[in-house]
Amino acid sequence: MSKRTSEAAKARIAAQREALRKQDQRRRVTMIATIVVVVVVAAAFVVWSVRQGTSEKVTGGLAAATVQQDGTVVMAQPGVTTPVVDVYEDFQCPACRQFEETSGATLKNLAAEGKAKVAYHVITIFTQEPTKSNSLRAASAARCVTDGRQWLAFHDKLYKNQPSETSSGFSVDQLIAWGKEAGVTSSGFDDCVRKQGNVEAHQAYTQQVMTTQKLSGTPTVKINGKEIDSKVAFVPSDLRDAVVNAAKS
């Protein structure tokens, strides 16, 4: 082998070693960056989880609740008209269930304390099956409950028993049974749920709300008509502060 050939071979080997060194270095950097991201995300989740752990408990009796003609349910002490907290929700929506579990008691307490007028707006945002039909059955059944207090109890029962997004649920028989467990006493409740006669009115209301409120999803929470960030809505103490501050402005 000539001296020139030997030097060329050594150069190639050196180049290959350098390439491998750089490749290994990039791999290490990527691994470290990934670990850092995972740690940061995990830490953020822990902080978020801790904050979620401060969920309130319903401390006393509930404020009066009334079912409106369009299906909206308003919860407030007599004479309380502001601030208004509008909650746009879908019984099949997992995030809505999480919101209810996290901040639902805060809304009930604020209304009971006379610090807010809370309005629940049930809509259907799903277009695929089986979630769409699940949502429609639940919403139609909720419209069969004409007593406000009973509606709130049924509302909570539906979220507690929310089916998976990949399976059919909220069957007619289940909805009737949960209504009874929630204390619904209307003699026409069973028949109303079985006929699902409120679906059309519910879909019309959904279309109206989606158009006028320009919702991008559920849950959407507004205070005096202004949408609040989910980072506020899902943290009970921040939600309470936002409502109290709105009353001052």
Side-chain angles (χ1 to χ4, degrees):
M1 180 182 295
S2 68
K3 182 178 179 180
R4 180 175 297 178
T5 302
S6 176
E7 289 177 350
K10 289 180 179 179
R12 283 197 300 273
I13 292 172
Q16 290 172 353
R17 286 177 177 172
E18 179 63 15
L20 289 172
R21 186 188 68 80
K22 289 182 177 180
Q23 184 179 33
D24 184 62
Q25 186 179 41
R26 286 195 297 270
R27 187 182 297 114
R28 288 173 182 273
V29 171
T30 300
M31 183 181 297
I32 292 172
T34 300
I35 292 172
V36 170
V37 170
V38 170
V39 170
V40 169
V41 171
F45 178 76
V46 169
V47 172
W48 183 86
S49 297
V50 169
R51 296 190 77 183
Q52 301 314 299
T54 61
S55 295
E56 297 182 16
K57 301 295 183 183
V58 177
T59 55
L62 299 177
T66 55
V67 180
Q68 309 297 302
Q69 188 173 358
D70 64 0
T72 300
V73 175
V74 176
M75 177 174 61
Q77 293 289 17
V80 175
T81 59
T82 189
V84 178
V85 181
D86 290 293
V87 180
Y88 298 90
E89 57 184 349
D90 185 326
F91 287 129
Q92 178 61 77
C93 162
C96 296
R97 176 180 178 174
Q98 181 61 45
F99 173 75
E100 179 58 34
E101 292 174 346
T102 302
S103 301
T106 299
L107 294 180
K108 291 183 176 70
N109 287 338
L110 286 167
E113 294 162 13
K115 296 178 179 177
K117 174 182 177 181
V118 181
Y120 296 95
H121 308 268
V122 177
I123 60 175
T124 293
I125 61 169
F126 295 98
T127 58
Q128 74 277 17
E129 297 294 353
T131 48
K132 178 181 178 180
S133 292
N134 290 350
S135 175
L136 290 175
R137 281 192 297 276
S140 179
R143 283 175 172 257
C144 294
V145 184
T146 56
D147 178 272
R149 290 290 186 87
Q150 294 173 6
W151 186 94
L152 289 174
F154 188 54
H155 166 274
D156 294 352
K157 185 72 68 174
L158 290 178
Y159 279 124
K160 183 177 180 180
N161 293 282
Q162 186 186 80
S164 163
E165 292 180 276
T166 59
S167 62
S168 294
F170 287 143
S171 72
V172 167
D173 288 339
Q174 288 175 324
L175 293 167
I176 291 173
W178 295 333
K180 295 296 194 301
E181 292 174 10
V184 178
T185 56
S186 171
S187 59
F189 177 73
D190 293 24
D191 189 51
C192 179
V193 175
R194 291 194 183 284
K195 289 182 177 179
Q196 290 286 286
N198 295 318
V199 170
E200 186 175 338
H202 171 71
Q203 289 178 309
Y205 181 69
T206 293
Q207 183 60 44
Q208 174 196 333
V209 167
M210 294 295 288
T211 300
T212 59
Q213 299 300 320
K214 298 178 172 58
L215 305 182
S216 58
T218 55
T220 293
V221 181
K222 295 186 177 185
I223 299 178
N224 289 339
K226 182 179 180 179
E227 183 175 346
I228 64 172
D229 193 285
S230 60
K231 294 178 182 178
V232 174
F234 279 80
V235 179
S237 59
D238 291 351
L239 175 59
R240 173 175 282 277
D241 288 344
V243 173
V244 171
N245 289 335
K248 298 176 182 177
S249 61

